[in-house]
Amino acid sequence: MLKTLIKKQFMEMFRGFFVNRKNGQAYSKGRSAFNITMFTILMLVIAASVGALASFFAITYLPLNLGWLYYSLLGTLALILGIFGSVFNTYAGLYKAKDNDLLISLPIPPVTIVLSRVAGVYGMALLYSGLVWIPALVVYQIFAGVTVLGLVFGLVLFFLLGALITVLTCILGWIVALASGKLKGKSIVKVLISVVFFLIYYFICFRLSSIMQSLANNAEAVGRAYASWGNVLYWLGKGAEGSVPHFLLFAAVSVVLALICLAVLSKTFLKLTLADTGAYASGKKTELVRTDIDRALFRRELMRFTSSSAYMLNCGLGLFLLPVLAVIVLVKRDSVLQVFFLIAQDMPVLAPILPVLAILIVFMISGLNLISTPSVSLEGKTLWLLKSLPVKPFDVLKAKLRLHERVSFIPVLFSALVLCLAFGTGAADTVLVLVACLLHVMLIARVGLVFGLKRPNFIWTSEITPIKQSLSLLFVMLINFAISIGVPILYLLTGGRLQVTAYLAAVAVVLALIDWLLQRWMRTKGCRIFEEL
Amino acid sequence: MLIIDHLTKKYGSKKAVDDLSLHIQRGEVYGFIGLNGAGKTTTLKSVAGILPFDSGEIRVAGTSVREDPLTCKKQMAYIPDNPDLYDFMTGNQYLNFIGDVFGISTEDRKSRIGKYAEIFGLTGDLDQSVAAYSHGMKQKLAIISAWMHRPQLILMDEPFVGLDPKASFSLKEMMRQVCDEGGAIFFSTHVLDVAEKLCDKVAIIREGKLIRSGTMDEVKGDESLEETFLELAEDTGDGSVC
């Protein structure tokens, strides 16, 4: 039974390789092989870049006999990435799957349903953390030499690390489900709970990294302070190096935590799932007032977005992080400036555009807003409605873009402005930075919608499938990453021959041009694709 | 009101609808019957402008669905066999959205929603989330939304499934009223008793092909519609078209 359910869970996750999610028809063997090959290449590219980082750590720490610190640091990174990859899926995946009612109605013990759902979360945790841990393991064997024990422990620890990530994400999912019972329909509150948890978690992680970093500068201090038997990441590092007691300790902690987590989830699964079927009285009477089609379509998109905590968290995380960034800069202005001036000492060419570089952080964080990307797929089985109503396809697409833009503009402008003020950017540069940030939001909205139209998925049992487990999202994130990194790199390539103001103006013009081209595509080809869905 | 002219729709190499022609006049309740997979839903979806078709023509009040879908959609309403509505809205929010799309004035939407919600006993549930609705309640909501903008042509795919007897009765009355006021209804059903009592005309489709159509008397003769349908449905020959 469990095997069947797990198979079903993974079939849904990897269905996109074998089945056209637009019309449900199976791909040919050749097309499936192509899809899998492309995905593998993408994963290998990411793993290779992590491998480069791991090589840097290996060169730094292995000669100092700090192999465990190498593993601890990369283990932390794997943990962060693994949590990021699955933390916001867990609630929806465990408690909001559309086949929950069906499975509960069948003679299946709740623990089996929970195990199959958790297996899905575990799979995602392995996928994301593996992107760091596997290259780290390979690089270590190259630099330190292959030992059977180190290799076997390293591999086993990979699966145990995945279990630890699953435990942490399941705790959040469980807390959100508990809160949902009390806050029926209050998606925004669920989002805030999740974001607070997320921020606390990352705050601890960053603190941990900085502590490790500072300790790494002093091997003596490292030995004294870090070799305590109370640090899970230390056990992980030592275990991966081949230390049997530390390996066993880490394994025991991971397994015990996983068992406790499973027991708690299974015991409360029925109560929490059945309590959260979406049946609630809104308590608020809708005012029946006429509005125009554009506004009605926009409101429809907004309602969908704000009704789903999973959608808001996974595709609107930047909305919550941007104001946090602004507040941190306001409160810790001196420390932030100090960091940038330290970098500038190492790279003098960066000094004149330091404030601009800092502002580009806005690009990175606002790129976490991927609201438009899954919006076509989220129509799911209700697509018939839009297609049977007398609305122009472009009006529908416009509403999707507007939602992305309107909810992003204010946090983006606010954080960009705060950064400009904090870094003492001149008026002209500030205006250009604000314009570039707005154009960047428009670009990501359009790129996301292009992918949403080209690779729609209308066949899903949990909204998490289009919201999180979609290659389109990954592609848009990579494109955003390339743009964010590309802007300062291109400036560096000019060797400082171009004035910052002129360069910012050029960036804005290029962004505006691409936005215009994508808008044209949306009006013509995009509309045709939508009509044919 | 509706002209379906040599409609053909293929899924891969399989013809779901094969050279189907039907004329539906104003004032007619037109029933569409056939076994599962016969092509009823495909035909209705093609008329509704949801499904592109391979060849043929569909005209609603003289306007081509292919050439000017928006004008056609403004004059008609479509209710699918399984009304998947927006779970993230309440009943009222959904109806308000439909009202905005069709540009219904505030006064009209209030009075029409009030009237139809009362008929279907849904008044107290309209501020509930659609996610909380039963299949029958969703069906009622879909019917209210279809009737809200006073369409000239209403397309319905198995409209009686999930409705309680009182709602079924009310729907039949409403269907007749639309036709009495000059509109037309084209609907598929497996409930042959209802079709026999309610329809002015009926079409029988098998494996995508129209095998008989006309007034109820022309189609069934002295037999019951059920007997005629079963004979035609089991007939493996080419069948004849009236």
Side-chain angles (χ1 to χ4, degrees), chain A residues 261-471:
Chain A
C261 179
L262 269 179
V264 173
L265 290 180
S266 306
K267 206 162 175 58
T268 53
F269 179 71
L270 281 183
K271 193 181 163 197
L272 292 175
T273 307
L274 297 175
D276 193 30
T277 52
Y280 67 95
S282 71
K284 195 176 151 191
K285 196 162 170 56
T286 306
E287 196 66 34
L288 296 171
V289 182
R290 182 178 176 175
T291 50
D292 58 52
I293 290 185
D294 277 352
R295 202 171 294 177
L297 288 170
F298 173 75
R299 209 161 48 187
R300 187 189 74 104
E301 296 292 337
L302 185 65
M303 272 191 246
R304 188 202 303 281
F305 182 63
T306 52
S307 70
S308 164
S309 52
Y311 190 11
M312 282 193 277
L313 276 171
N314 286 288
C315 301
L317 190 60
L319 303 177
F320 304 96
L321 295 186
L322 282 165
V324 171
L325 166 80
V327 170
I328 288 172
V329 172
L330 275 176
V331 176
K332 296 263 183 188
R333 181 178 172 273
D334 293 340
S335 310
V336 175
L337 280 173
Q338 205 176 9
V339 170
F340 280 97
F341 286 129
L342 280 173
I343 296 170
Q345 279 169 9
D346 293 339
M347 299 178 73
V349 71
L350 284 181
I353 59 154
L354 260 182
V356 180
L357 274 178
I359 290 154
L360 288 177
I361 295 167
V362 176
F363 273 33
M364 295 283 270
I365 301 178
S366 103
L368 293 174
N369 295 336
L370 300 162
I371 299 159
S372 64
T373 313
S375 64
V376 173
S377 298
L378 281 172
E379 298 292 345
K381 288 180 178 170
T382 61
L383 183 69
W384 71 271
L385 260 164
L386 283 181
K387 298 192 80 180
S388 68
L389 293 173
V391 288
K392 292 176 192 157
F394 186 66
D395 288 342
V396 176
L397 301 181
K398 205 165 58 183
K400 293 182 186 301
L401 291 174
R402 275 189 185 160
L403 174 72
H404 186 123
E405 290 164 359
R406 287 187 187 175
V407 298
S408 304
F409 278 163
I410 291 176
V412 164
L413 281 179
F414 175 65
S415 52
L417 190 64
V418 167
L419 281 163
C420 285
L421 292 174
F423 297 131
T425 309
D429 287 356
T430 302
V431 170
L432 284 169
V433 164
L434 296 182
V435 170
C437 285
L438 292 184
L439 290 167
H440 170 262
V441 168
M442 291 166 71
L443 177 71
I444 296 302
R446 276 152 187 77
V447 171
L449 196 52
V450 169
F451 276 97
L453 283 164
K454 295 281 249 180
R455 303 175 54 88
N457 171 15
F458 298 119
I459 306 160
W460 38 265
T461 50
S462 166
E463 63 180 6
I464 275 303
T465 307
I467 284 170
K468 188 78 190 181
Q469 295 156 356
S470 146
L471 272 182

Side-chain angles (χ1 to χ4, degrees), chain B:
Chain B
M1 185 70 228
L2 172 66
I3 297 173
I4 301 172
D5 201 13
H6 299 291
L7 174 72
T8 297
K9 168 70 190 174
K10 288 183 204 166
Y11 292 113
S13 58
K14 187 182 185 291
K15 280 186 180 174
V17 180
D18 188 0
D19 199 34
L20 181 99
S21 294
L22 278 178
H23 290 198
I24 297 167
Q25 308 290 332
R26 286 181 184 277
E28 283 179 354
V29 178
Y30 210 117
F32 199 31
I33 56 179
L35 296 175
N36 292 331
K40 302 184 297 293
T41 299
T42 301
T43 306
L44 284 166
K45 281 185 172 177
S46 299
V47 175
I50 293 174
L51 203 60
F53 43 92
D54 297 297
S55 62
E57 181 61 283
I58 298 171
R59 290 185 177 277
V60 176
T63 308
S64 163
V65 166
R66 207 198 286 261
E67 285 164 17
D68 191 357
L70 283 192
T71 304
C72 294
K73 287 174 188 177
K74 279 178 188 162
Q75 299 181 77
M76 60 183 173
Y78 167 66
I79 302 172
D81 54 345
N82 193 4
D84 288 301
L85 309 175
Y86 297 131
D87 281 351
F88 53 88
M89 291 184 179
T90 65
N92 261 330
Q93 284 169 339
Y94 174 70
L95 294 173
N96 209 28
F97 169 71
I98 298 293
D100 287 336
V101 168
F102 283 97
I104 303 168
S105 71
T106 303
E107 293 70 33
D108 282 348
R109 78 178 66 179
K110 277 181 183 168
S111 68
R112 289 175 198 172
I113 290 171
K115 175 185 163 189
Y116 295 123
E118 194 63 40
I119 289 173
F120 287 115
L122 212 58
T123 310
D125 300 306
L126 286 179
D127 283 311
Q128 294 272 330
S129 165
V130 172
Y133 281 22
S134 67
H135 178 91
M137 287 163 82
K138 282 185 187 173
Q139 186 74 357
K140 289 174 183 176
L141 190 65
I143 293 168
I144 296 172
S145 70
W147 253 258
M148 245 176 86
H149 66 101
R150 299 265 160 91
Q152 292 296 296
L153 172 66
I154 300 179
L155 310 167
M156 292 186 285
D157 199 353
E158 295 291 345
F160 299 102
V161 174
L163 290 184
D164 56 58
K166 185 173 177 285
S168 287
F169 177 78
S170 302
L171 177 61
K172 283 180 249 175
E173 299 264 288
M174 285 160 61
M175 287 164 75
R176 179 45 60 200
Q177 196 185 349
V178 166
C179 294
D180 290 346
E181 289 169 1
I185 304 270
F186 183 37
F187 77 106
S188 74
T189 184
H190 289 303
V191 191
L192 299 182
D193 290 346
V194 171
E196 193 166 354
K197 284 177 191 156
L198 190 65
C199 297
D200 301 304
K201 285 186 179 171
V202 68
I204 300 174
I205 185 174
R206 190 183 64 209
E207 292 170 4
K209 288 186 174 166
L210 185 71
I211 51 172
R212 191 169 289 185
S213 68
T215 63
M216 194 55 74
D217 287 340
E218 284 169 349
V219 169
K220 71 182 182 72
D222 294 332
E223 295 181 311
S224 70
L225 182 60
E226 189 175 28
E227 286 166 335
T228 309
F229 174 71
L230 290 174
E231 275 171 27
L232 290 170
E234 284 168 14
D235 183 6
T236 51
D238 288 329
S240 58
V241 179
C242 285

Side-chain angles (χ1 to χ4, degrees), chain A residues 212-273:
Chain A
M212 283 200 292
Q213 192 63 50
S214 63
L215 289 175
N217 295 333
N218 186 338
E220 289 290 318
V222 170
R224 281 198 307 274
Y226 222 74
S228 66
W229 283 68
N231 189 332
V232 180
L233 290 168
Y234 174 71
W235 303 341
L236 174 75
K238 291 292 277 185
E241 261 197 318
S243 163
V244 178
H246 292 95
F247 169 80
L248 290 176
L249 255 176
F250 186 82
V253 167
S254 305
V255 170
V256 167
L257 282 177
L259 289 175
I260 293 171
C261 179
L262 269 179
V264 173
L265 290 180
S266 306
K267 206 162 175 58
T268 53
F269 179 71
L270 281 183
K271 193 181 163 197
L272 292 175
T273 307

Side-chain angles (χ1 to χ4, degrees), chain A residues 37-53:
Chain A
T37 309
M38 291 308 289
F39 181 74
T40 310
I41 290 171
L42 185 68
M43 292 295 113
L44 286 176
V45 168
I46 298 171
S49 47
V50 174
L53 178 74

